[in-house]
Amino acid sequence: GGSMQLGWPVSIEGGDGAGKSTQAELLLIRLKATGVDALLVHEPGGTDFGEHVRRLVKGDVERSPMSELFLFEAARAQLVQDVIRPALEAGQVVVTDRYADSSLAYQGSGRGLDLADVRALNHAATGGLMPDATVLLEIPPDQALARVDGSDGSDGRSDDPEQARFEQEPIEFHRRVAEGFRALASEEPGRWFVVDASAAPDRVAQKVWAIVSSLLVLRGISTDA
Ligand code: TYD
């Protein structure tokens, strides 16, 4: 509806190996199949500048936690200005695969930066633009990382040179990130929807769709095309 504040229905969050990208893609297919003009964006990245930052943060270049935070925020600022805001103004439904909450969980809870600092930079980078809701795909870090490195019998992706920095952090780091996400979800239960991501992908997709389709109704967007 025209009176709705600029924003989008949902961001998808979770630790490495939670299956966010798969779920985001399934969601996009579902949105398009129901006639919704939808756009998927993945952080970090989505702009030329953001892709450079993505390579930098995923690589092994030494950096302090605060420098790392600024890199993610820089990529986010560019993405909001060049992609997210114009898409929303054009009436598209945006789905974000990670967004500002990832910085709170990874650079805040994971790296130990002051959450108030992270919030301030999130606000500066986004201009306060936030999704209506955030789906947390929750899976125990041990299980998630086994998916990532293929030790659970899956293909994994450990041979992908891009999958360096964060997935090689110790399990304790990933536990802090997971705790951070959980804390965010319990502090703001009206925005967060926690979904058990250890279930089969199509079950998870059904739950995500149930959440997102009800949010679209609230935005006055029809999904019965
Ligand atoms: P990516 O391959 O996009 O991870 P995923 O497939 O899990 O989305 O790599 C992005 C990595 O960057 C991921 O490990 C999470 C991390 N990250 C942060 O630490 N802070 C942030 O603000 C964002 C957006 C990502």
Side-chain angles (χ1 to χ4, degrees), residues 41-65:
V41 299
H42 179 185
E43 274 207 41
T47 64
D48 281 348
F49 178 81
E51 292 301 325
H52 277 90
V53 171
R54 178 183 179 82
R55 280 192 288 277
L56 189 52
V57 292
K58 295 191 75 166
D60 281 329
V61 182
E62 270 313 304
R63 79 300 286 267
S64 72

Side-chain angles (χ1 to χ4, degrees), residues 32-222:
K32 288 190 168 164
T34 54
V36 175
D37 182 9
L39 177 72
L40 173 61
V41 299
H42 179 185
E43 274 207 41
T47 64
D48 281 348
F49 178 81
E51 292 301 325
H52 277 90
V53 171
R54 178 183 179 82
R55 280 192 288 277
L56 189 52
V57 292
K58 295 191 75 166
D60 281 329
V61 182
E62 270 313 304
R63 79 300 286 267
S64 72
M66 187 59 86
S67 313
E68 184 177 271
L69 174 63
F70 272 98
L71 287 175
F72 283 110
E73 299 293 1
R76 181 167 299 133
Q78 199 72 38
L79 184 70
V80 168
Q81 177 192 282
D82 291 355
V83 180
I84 297 180
R85 202 173 269 281
L88 296 175
E89 280 163 357
Q92 283 189 297
V93 166
V94 173
V95 172
T96 56
D97 178 357
R98 296 197 182 283
Y99 193 58
D101 297 301
S102 274
S103 292
L104 288 165
Y106 280 80
Q107 281 66 51
S109 305
R111 300 272 193 241
L113 291 179
D114 187 341
L115 290 178
D117 285 344
V118 182
R119 282 185 210 284
L121 290 184
N122 276 346
H123 194 270
T126 62
L129 202 57
M130 286 294 287
D132 299 338
T134 300
V135 168
L136 173 58
L137 296 181
E138 203 173 44
I139 180 171
D142 313 68
Q143 199 179 325
L145 293 176
R147 271 189 190 174
V148 169
D149 71 15
S151 65
D152 64 344
S154 68
D155 281 349
R157 49 187 195 193
S158 54
D159 52 346
D160 180 350
E162 265 218 320
Q163 298 301 331
R165 190 69 185 209
F166 290 92
E167 287 154 9
Q168 286 166 15
E169 292 290 340
I171 188 74
E172 290 73 27
F173 174 82
H174 293 282
R175 291 197 181 114
R176 289 196 298 277
V177 170
E179 272 308 308
F181 275 127
R182 194 184 310 237
L184 292 172
S186 61
E187 277 162 27
E188 222 185 319
R191 172 161 70 92
W192 289 79
F193 293 81
V194 181
V195 172
D196 174 9
S198 58
D202 59 328
R203 286 283 301 141
V204 177
Q206 269 175 20
K207 288 187 185 167
V208 172
W209 180 246
I211 293 162
V212 172
S213 55
S214 64
L215 292 165
L216 291 172
V217 170
L218 292 178
R219 281 200 168 265
I221 297 162
S222 160

